[in-house]
Amino acid sequence: MQRLAMDLRVLSRELALYVEHQVRVGFFGSGVGLSLILGFSVAYACYYLSSIAKKPQLVIGGESFSRFLQDHCPVVTETYYPTVWCWESRGQTLLRPFITAKPRVQYRNELIKTADGGQISLDWFDNNNSACYVDASTRPTILLLPGLTGTSKESYILHMIHLSEELGYRCVVFNNRGVAGESLLTPRTYCCANTEDLEAVIHHVHSLYPLAPFLAAGVSMGGMLLLNYLGKIGSKTPLMAAATFSVGWNTFACSESLERPLNWLLFNYYLTTCLQSSVKKHRHMFVGQIDMDQVMKAKSIREFDRRFTSVMFGYRTLDDYYTDASPNRRLKSVGIPVLCLNAADDVFSPSHGTGACCQA
């Protein structure tokens, strides 16, 4: 309470100083306007500090990992203060593309073949100027997995690479089939339940640098794919540790959240059109396998998955696919340390969908 009171006094004083410089004392011909603004500011500060700024809720499987996080990642135990003027998740998601900078990253592209005759595009940031790890054979490698239709060009991936560069690490971005401009050689794209492509990429990267510490980080669908892979393979992975961000733990709950009217209008329909665009340019590859006319009429991610994704990967029903795609059912089988960060108000991953994870 003492910390809250101190934060309130500091924030109130800063708001008062700001208003004093920006608003004329004669506002509305008297000091009434200034009083109203100050009163609103204090009320907003009280609400922000009491209801918005909170410490993360930690669910940790072991005491040793808990101590490790407290020693090396103290941010997970500190109070999180969202952007004061835009703290709501939907507002942040909508504004991010317009205000986020894109660090300049020079990639080296590599195309690798898959067992079924397809190809996967990898974008490497070798960090050959690393002062911490001069020897490339032992330079730590981080595999980055973007979101639903994301690629190595996404701003959040570029920022992750920029921070990794400062630490001296090497990065490689796993672009899902057909989304990064490469040709689709077989009638197959990707989904977060099928981990074959990710297994091939991890094996390939590890074979190139077997002596280097190997880690992975996935965002949104990329995190779901990573967790499903770790849950299937257990401790037999060459990865030493992993991190995920904004993962959809329960695909059914995620879909229901995105189909609420406002969320559908702001996010679901747009993402559906992005998925349709990503497969439309490869439409000729799916002739005779999938009814692409119906796919292009989908108005939600659920409809797209029912008409395209679940059919492509041989699931009997959409429910079968969504059950297999949900990482919460495999969490107990993960055999390496994994840090998973989710916002409590994330519309893509509602908090009630993480219940099973908190019991793991």
Side-chain angles (χ1 to χ4, degrees), residues 18 22 32 60 72 100 109 119 133 142 153 286 293 303:
Y18 173 80
Q22 299 296 325
V32 175
I60 305 175
H72 300 281
T100 302
N109 184 256
Q119 63 179 358
Y133 303 96
I142 302 181
K153 297 179 181 179
F286 311 115
D293 289 335
E303 289 183 4

Side-chain angles (χ1 to χ4, degrees), residues 136-211:
S137 66
T138 57
R139 184 177 303 145
T141 303
I142 302 181
L143 175 64
L144 301 177
L145 291 76
L148 186 60
T149 58
T151 67
S152 60
K153 297 179 181 179
E154 303 301 326
S155 60
Y156 56 86
I157 294 292
L158 298 175
H159 278 280
M160 292 169 76
I161 291 177
H162 179 65
L163 292 173
S164 300
E165 178 184 13
E166 294 178 354
L167 296 172
Y169 300 165
R170 168 176 48 230
C171 296
V172 54
V173 184
F174 168 34
N175 298 295
N176 286 300
R177 294 195 198 193
V179 300
E182 80 283 5
S183 299
L184 200 64
L185 302 182
T186 60
R188 171 176 166 175
T189 54
Y190 60 92
C191 76
C192 57
N194 188 289
T195 62
E196 293 174 2
D197 283 357
L198 178 56
E199 291 177 32
V201 168
I202 289 175
H203 174 76
H204 173 74
V205 173
H206 181 61
S207 67
L208 294 176
Y209 304 101
L211 301 179

Side-chain angles (χ1 to χ4, degrees), residues 15 18-20 22-24 27-28 31-44:
L15 287 169
Y18 173 80
V19 172
E20 183 178 347
Q22 299 296 325
V23 183
R24 297 175 182 270
F27 186 63
F28 290 152
V32 175
L34 180 59
S35 299
L36 289 174
I37 292 176
L38 284 174
F40 173 80
S41 300
V42 171
Y44 182 81

Side-chain angles (χ1 to χ4, degrees), residues 6 36 41 51 70 82 97 108 110 119 129 143 161 164 193 207-208 221 252 277 321 324 349:
M6 182 178 68
L36 289 174
S41 300
S51 302
Q70 292 176 17
R108 171 177 63 86
E110 178 187 17
Q119 63 179 358
N129 295 323
L143 175 64
I161 291 177
S164 300
S207 67
L208 294 176
M221 195 216 78
F252 294 98
S277 297
Y321 166 52
D324 198 30
S349 180

Side-chain angles (χ1 to χ4, degrees), residues 49-68:
L49 293 173
S50 63
S51 302
I52 305 302
K54 295 181 180 296
K55 285 188 176 183
Q57 177 187 357
L58 288 179
V59 180
I60 305 175
E63 190 62 32
S64 60
F65 192 33
S66 176
R67 289 195 299 268
F68 176 86

Side-chain angles (χ1 to χ4, degrees), residues 34 123 131 212 266 269:
L34 180 59
D123 282 322
L266 295 176
Y269 182 70

Side-chain angles (χ1 to χ4, degrees), residues 4 7 16 30 67 95 135-136 140 166 185 208 223 230 261 263 280 337:
L4 178 62
D7 289 343
S30 68
R67 289 195 299 268
L95 283 175
D135 185 356
E166 294 178 354
L185 302 182
L208 294 176
L230 292 173
N263 294 339
K280 184 178 181 180

